[in-house]
Amino acid sequence: EFIKSGTPVAGILTKCDLPENPDSNKYFKSNSIPFHRFNPNVPQARTELIHFIGTHLPAENEDTLLSDLLSPADTVIMVVPIDLGAPKGRIIKPQVFAIREALDSHAIVLVCKDSELAQCIKCLASPPKLVLTDSQAIMRVAPLVPKETKVSTFSILTARFKGDLKKMILGLKRIEELKDGDTVIISEACTHHASSDDIGRVKIPRWVSEYTGKNLNFIHHQGNSFPAELHNVAMIIHCGGCMITEKAMQQRLKTAALYDVPLVNYGIIISYIHGAMPKVIEAFPEALQAWQETHAAPAV
């Protein structure tokens, strides 16, 4: 199961102070799995074990949220709507991470609500390099962004950082194939109290239903309750995943791929339904190419 899901595997042979079983190495060798013999009576055993594990750990993710999009002194505007879903007295993690990474890139960061965006842009001597917004405000923000300025959402940045943005863009075509009675899973990695107009439980099901014109069966999963099997599931719409690790998000993508179920996240589906594609992915060449492959104009 580990090998099938692409999870790195290493073996530890314990009790190696006892007489060796001649078959103890057979399984690891036959499956080309690196292994280490651990004898607790050897003074350097713990150090050797730590070194072995460290040697076989997968490389850390070197991707970034947005630093590769910015140069020193570039101006980036981050649009942070304050609505019923916004936590009182703070802003959410993707916004905090984006601000910090932009500052680390020596960019100039401006933060405003969507209602002040036009005035914020007007105050600048030249158009900003990048505008980032909460996904739910993309329909209000996109028309205000200058033509020469790239625009995207915090959720799309997170999809690129923790998930697979290209694969999610390719998966968008499934929304056009949905039929009456199809099951669509709405998956949220965090467990928050749903508001009367909750994004996952109310808004996205409403938008998808209105867009497709289909009577769909929406099933909601929160926290760690992502299903292990996805039989008879047509599509998964996942949150940005800011509350889970990259590995956890990748595992969910792998599970979906095993069942040939496309997984897209909130920012991608919202931008698609509200006509902001492909503008919100123009800064990401691989994602833009995937869009062009699946949404090319038919030959005349």
Side-chain angles (χ1 to χ4, degrees), residues 93-111:
K93 287 178 68 175
Q95 297 161 357
V96 173
F97 292 158
I99 291 171
R100 173 57 194 265
E101 195 165 304
L103 293 174
D104 288 342
S105 300
H106 304 284
I108 300 166
V109 183
L110 302 175
V111 182

Side-chain angles (χ1 to χ4, degrees), residues 2 218 297:
F2 283 138
F218 291 97

